[in-house]
Coordinates of all heavy atoms in Angstrom, one line a residue:
R14 N 59.8 4.1 33.5 CA 59.3 3.1 34.4 C 59.7 1.7 33.9 O 59.9 0.8 34.7 CB 57.8 3.2 34.5 CG 57.3 4.3 35.4 CD 55.8 4.5 35.3 NE 55.4 4.8 33.9 CZ 54.2 4.8 33.4 NH1 53.2 4.6 34.3 NH2 54.0 5.1 32.2
S15 N 59.7 1.5 32.6 CA 60.1 0.2 32.0 C 60.3 0.3 30.6 O 59.9 1.2 29.9 CB 58.9 -0.8 32.3 OG 59.2 -2.1 31.8
T17 N 58.8 -1.7 28.8 CA 57.5 -2.2 28.2 C 56.7 -1.0 27.7 O 55.7 -1.3 27.0 CB 56.7 -2.9 29.3 OG1 56.5 -1.9 30.4 CG2 57.4 -4.1 29.9
S66 N 52.3 -12.9 26.5 CA 53.1 -12.1 27.4 C 54.3 -12.9 28.0 O 54.2 -14.2 27.9 CB 52.3 -11.5 28.6 OG 51.9 -12.6 29.3
G67 N 55.2 -12.3 28.6 CA 56.3 -13.0 29.3 C 55.7 -13.9 30.4 O 56.2 -15.0 30.6
T68 N 54.8 -13.3 31.1 CA 54.2 -14.1 32.2 C 53.6 -15.4 31.7 O 53.7 -16.5 32.2 CB 53.2 -13.2 32.9 OG1 53.8 -12.1 33.4 CG2 52.5 -14.0 34.1
N71 N 56.4 -17.8 30.7 CA 57.0 -18.4 31.9 C 56.1 -19.4 32.5 O 56.5 -20.5 32.9 CB 57.3 -17.3 32.9 CG 58.6 -16.5 32.5 OD1 59.4 -16.9 31.7 ND2 58.8 -15.4 33.2
H92 N 61.6 -12.7 38.7 CA 60.3 -12.3 38.3 C 59.2 -13.4 38.6 O 58.2 -13.1 39.1 CB 60.3 -11.9 36.8 CG 59.1 -11.1 36.4 ND1 57.9 -11.7 36.1 CD2 58.8 -9.8 36.3 CE1 57.0 -10.8 35.8 NE2 57.6 -9.6 35.9
F96 N 56.7 -11.6 40.9 CA 55.8 -10.7 40.2 C 54.8 -11.4 39.2 O 54.4 -10.8 38.3 CB 56.6 -9.7 39.4 CG 57.6 -9.0 40.2 CD1 59.0 -9.0 40.0 CD2 57.2 -8.2 41.3 CE1 59.9 -8.3 40.7 CE2 58.1 -7.5 42.1 CZ 59.5 -7.6 41.8
E97 N 54.6 -12.7 39.5 CA 53.6 -13.4 38.6 C 52.4 -13.9 39.4 O 51.8 -14.9 39.0 CB 54.3 -14.4 37.7 CG 55.4 -13.7 36.8 CD 56.1 -14.6 35.8 OE1 55.7 -15.8 35.6 OE2 57.1 -14.1 35.2
E146 N 67.3 -16.3 35.2 CA 66.7 -15.0 34.6 C 67.9 -14.2 34.0 O 68.8 -13.8 34.8 CB 66.0 -14.2 35.7 CG 65.3 -13.0 35.2 CD 64.4 -12.3 36.3 OE1 63.7 -13.0 37.0 OE2 64.6 -11.1 36.5
T148 N 68.6 -11.0 31.1 CA 69.2 -10.4 32.2 C 68.4 -10.4 33.5 O 67.2 -10.7 33.4 CB 69.5 -8.8 31.9 OG1 68.2 -8.2 31.8 CG2 70.2 -8.7 30.6
N150 N 66.4 -8.8 36.2 CA 65.7 -7.5 36.3 C 66.0 -6.8 37.6 O 66.7 -5.7 37.6 CB 64.1 -7.8 36.2 CG 63.3 -6.5 36.2 OD1 63.8 -5.4 36.6 ND2 62.1 -6.6 35.9
D179 N 64.3 -17.5 31.9 CA 63.4 -16.3 31.7 C 64.3 -15.3 31.0 O 65.0 -14.5 31.7 CB 62.9 -15.8 33.0 CG 62.0 -14.5 32.8 OD1 62.0 -14.0 31.7 OD2 61.4 -14.1 33.8
A181 N 63.5 -12.7 29.3 CA 62.7 -11.5 28.9 C 63.6 -10.5 28.2 O 63.2 -9.9 27.2 CB 62.0 -10.9 30.1
R182 N 64.8 -10.3 28.7 CA 65.8 -9.4 28.1 C 67.0 -10.1 27.6 O 68.1 -9.5 27.8 CB 66.1 -8.2 29.1 CG 64.8 -7.5 29.5 CD 65.1 -6.3 30.4 NE 63.9 -5.5 30.7 CZ 63.0 -5.9 31.7 NH1 63.2 -6.9 32.5 NH2 62.0 -5.1 31.9
Q205 N 62.1 -18.3 27.4 CA 61.1 -17.3 27.1 C 61.8 -16.0 26.9 O 62.6 -15.6 27.6 CB 60.1 -17.2 28.3 CG 59.0 -16.2 28.2 CD 59.4 -14.8 28.5 OE1 59.3 -13.9 27.6 NE2 59.8 -14.6 29.7
C207 N 61.0 -11.8 25.5 CA 59.9 -10.8 25.3 C 60.2 -10.0 24.0 O 61.3 -9.5 23.8 CB 59.7 -9.8 26.4 SG 59.1 -10.6 27.9
S209 N 58.1 -7.5 23.5 CA 57.5 -6.2 23.9 C 58.3 -5.4 24.9 O 57.7 -4.5 25.6 CB 56.1 -6.4 24.4 OG 56.2 -7.2 25.6
K210 N 59.6 -5.7 25.1 CA 60.4 -4.9 26.1 C 61.4 -4.1 25.2 O 60.9 -3.4 24.4 CB 61.0 -5.8 27.1 CG 60.0 -6.5 28.0 CD 60.5 -7.0 29.3 CE 59.4 -7.3 30.3 NZ 58.4 -8.3 29.8
S218 N 55.4 -12.4 23.5 CA 56.7 -13.1 23.9 C 56.7 -14.4 23.1 O 55.7 -14.8 22.5 CB 56.6 -13.4 25.4 OG 57.0 -12.3 26.2
R327 N 64.0 2.5 40.3 CA 64.5 1.8 39.0 C 64.2 2.8 37.8 O 63.1 3.3 37.7 CB 63.8 0.5 38.8 CG 64.3 -0.2 37.6 CD 63.5 -1.6 37.3 NE 62.2 -1.3 36.7 CZ 61.6 -2.2 35.9 NH1 62.1 -3.4 35.7 NH2 60.4 -1.9 35.4
Ligands
LIG4 N1 58.7 -7.1 34.0 C1 58.1 -5.9 34.1 C2 57.3 -5.9 35.5 O1 56.5 -6.9 35.6 C3 58.3 -5.9 36.7 C4 59.1 -4.8 34.1 O2 58.6 -3.6 33.9 O3 60.3 -5.0 34.1 N2 60.3 -11.8 33.2 C5 61.0 -10.7 33.5 C6 62.4 -10.8 33.8 C7 60.3 -9.4 33.4 O4 61.0 -8.3 33.8 C8 59.0 -9.4 33.1 C9 58.2 -8.1 33.1 C10 58.3 -10.6 32.8 C11 59.0 -11.8 32.9 C12 56.9 -10.6 32.4 O5 56.6 -10.1 31.2 P1 55.1 -9.5 30.8 O6 55.0 -8.2 31.4 O7 55.2 -9.5 29.3 O8 54.2 -10.5 31.4

Side-chain angles (χ1 to χ4, degrees):
R14 284 171 301 171
S15 183
T17 58
S66 65
T68 301
N71 279 347
H92 193 277
F96 305 121
E97 297 185 12
E146 186 176 308
T148 65
N150 183 348
D179 175 353
R182 298 183 178 86
Q205 178 277 120
C207 292
S209 62
K210 296 201 166 58
S218 280
R327 184 183 81 155

